[in-house]
Amino acid sequence: MTATNRRGASTRYSAGEWQARVDLAAAYRLVELHDMHDVIYTHISARVPDEDGAFLINPFGLWFHEITASSLVKVDIDGNVLDDSLGMGINYAGYVIHSAIHAERHDVDCVLHTHTKAGVALSCLKEGLLPLNQWALQFHGKIAYHDYEAIAFDLDERARLVGDLGDKPVMILRNHGLLTAGRSVAEAWKMMFNLERSCEAQLALNATAAELVYPPESVCEKTAGQYWEIYDAIDAGEKPDREWAAFLRLLDDKAPGYKD
């Protein structure tokens, strides 16, 4: 789905940047619509096409349902603000985490980080996410873990964070929350949507104290492969992204202002 420029944005941004802004604003709205926000905290960032090191992130202080394409803040990899239409600046902790990944993972266009009840609770479990159901199996062999080091104000944590992430698309920040690193905003959101449900399902199972059934390793690997064949085909443009299109239709119905 191609974004439509609004409020004179066509004169301020390239077509590629405007599309990135619309997609990113959509992700913020989806996070709030699905009650995955933490008031004004946590962040989603997206790389700006054709601008080396520049990425978009939320203005610090807005609810996620208030975020629009034109209100997103553009910063460079060193934290310098390049465009801030509202003059609200950014949350430094968000810059530390997101700049670390954008600087080192050039295959990643979007980083999505949440502090949800289920995600935070799961992050406190030593066992991490278990391969218990179809939602969770898509992440089999795809999850990294990073130990908590306090609020992310220290730049030197960036090296440890990206070192722990490696080439994985998903990270559980222990005692903290969840993070997905997608090749597009759509991919990062879809992974987070399913990761959140995986956490909720595992916590619900733990509460029963019943004996659990684990699929065999061969099934875990096969299921993960099936999921990632689809992700890869969508990323390569070989398949339409029907799921992202459905999420955008939901927003067009519930929160169409994200495109402003």
Side-chain angles (χ1 to χ4, degrees), residues 10 25 76 99 112 122 125 155 165 181 189 206 218 232 234 249:
S10 59
D76 66 18
S99 66
L112 199 164
L122 192 286
L125 298 179
L155 288 175
L165 180 62
W189 162 251
N206 287 351
S218 60
D232 290 344
I234 291 172
R249 291 196 306 273

Side-chain angles (χ1 to χ4, degrees), residues 1-4 19 22-23 241 244-250 252 258-259:
M1 183 176 293
T2 301
T4 301
Q19 185 67 58
V22 171
D23 287 344
D241 195 342
W244 179 243
F247 277 120
L248 292 181
R249 291 196 306 273
L250 176 67
D252 289 340
Y258 72 96
K259 297 177 183 178

Side-chain angles (χ1 to χ4, degrees), residues 98-141:
H98 290 252
S99 66
I101 299 172
H102 284 297
E104 298 297 328
R105 287 284 302 275
H106 301 293
D107 59 315
V108 170
D109 276 355
C110 180
V111 180
L112 199 164
H113 173 43
T114 61
H115 303 158
T116 62
K117 289 180 182 178
V120 171
L122 192 286
S123 76
C124 300
L125 298 179
K126 186 174 182 179
E127 62 194 8
L129 186 70
L130 299 174
L132 289 169
N133 56 69
Q134 184 166 277
W135 292 329
L137 289 181
Q138 72 183 277
F139 304 115
H140 184 67

Side-chain angles (χ1 to χ4, degrees), residues 30-67:
L30 286 166
V31 166
E32 179 145 344
L33 188 63
H34 290 86
D35 198 27
M36 294 162 62
H37 64 91
D38 186 12
V39 193
I40 62 171
Y41 303 99
T42 76
H43 310 278
I44 318 169
S45 61
R47 193 182 300 276
V48 178
D50 303 319
E51 290 192 32
D52 187 35
F55 63 93
L56 304 166
I57 199 165
N58 51 316
F60 190 34
L62 293 185
W63 285 93
F64 285 11
H65 73 264
E66 297 176 305
I67 292 173

Side-chain angles (χ1 to χ4, degrees), residues 6 29 68 248 250-260:
R6 298 189 178 193
R29 298 293 185 98
T68 63
L248 292 181
L250 176 67
L251 283 185
D252 289 340
D253 180 50
K254 302 292 186 181
Y258 72 96
K259 297 177 183 178
D260 292 342

Side-chain angles (χ1 to χ4, degrees), residues 57-240:
I57 199 165
N58 51 316
F60 190 34
L62 293 185
W63 285 93
F64 285 11
H65 73 264
E66 297 176 305
I67 292 173
T68 63
S70 59
S71 70
L72 291 161
V73 180
K74 180 163 63 172
V75 299
D76 66 18
I77 212 68
D78 296 316
N80 299 305
V81 174
L82 306 176
D83 185 273
D84 182 4
S85 62
L86 298 182
M88 297 179 70
I90 63 172
N91 182 359
Y92 186 72
Y95 160 74
V96 170
I97 292 173
H98 290 252
S99 66
I101 299 172
H102 284 297
E104 298 297 328
R105 287 284 302 275
H106 301 293
D107 59 315
V108 170
D109 276 355
C110 180
V111 180
L112 199 164
H113 173 43
T114 61
H115 303 158
T116 62
K117 289 180 182 178
V120 171
L122 192 286
S123 76
C124 300
L125 298 179
K126 186 174 182 179
E127 62 194 8
L129 186 70
L130 299 174
L132 289 169
N133 56 69
Q134 184 166 277
W135 292 329
L137 289 181
Q138 72 183 277
F139 304 115
H140 184 67
K142 302 289 186 180
I143 301 177
Y145 292 83
H146 176 66
D147 289 339
Y148 188 61
E149 299 187 24
I151 297 174
F153 291 154
D154 298 328
L155 288 175
D156 63 358
E157 185 180 353
R158 294 192 295 183
R160 294 184 292 277
L161 188 146
V162 296
D164 289 338
L165 180 62
D167 63 354
K168 299 291 194 296
V170 173
M171 174 174 274
I172 293 177
L173 302 165
R174 293 198 182 276
N175 312 102
H176 185 173
L178 307 176
L179 183 147
T180 57
R183 293 168 291 186
S184 65
V185 173
E187 186 174 85
W189 162 251
K190 289 183 296 181
M191 286 193 294
M192 183 59 74
F193 182 73
N194 286 315
L195 183 61
E196 176 70 13
R197 293 195 293 175
S198 300
C199 294
E200 291 174 348
Q202 182 171 326
L203 294 171
L205 287 167
N206 287 351
T208 69
E211 184 176 0
L212 303 178
V213 176
Y214 287 83
E217 177 67 18
S218 60
V219 172
C220 294
E221 292 179 358
K222 179 179 179 179
T223 307
Q226 290 172 324
Y227 268 102
W228 284 89
E229 283 178 7
I230 296 170
Y231 280 130
D232 290 344
I234 291 172
D235 181 66
E238 297 168 359
K239 286 182 179 289

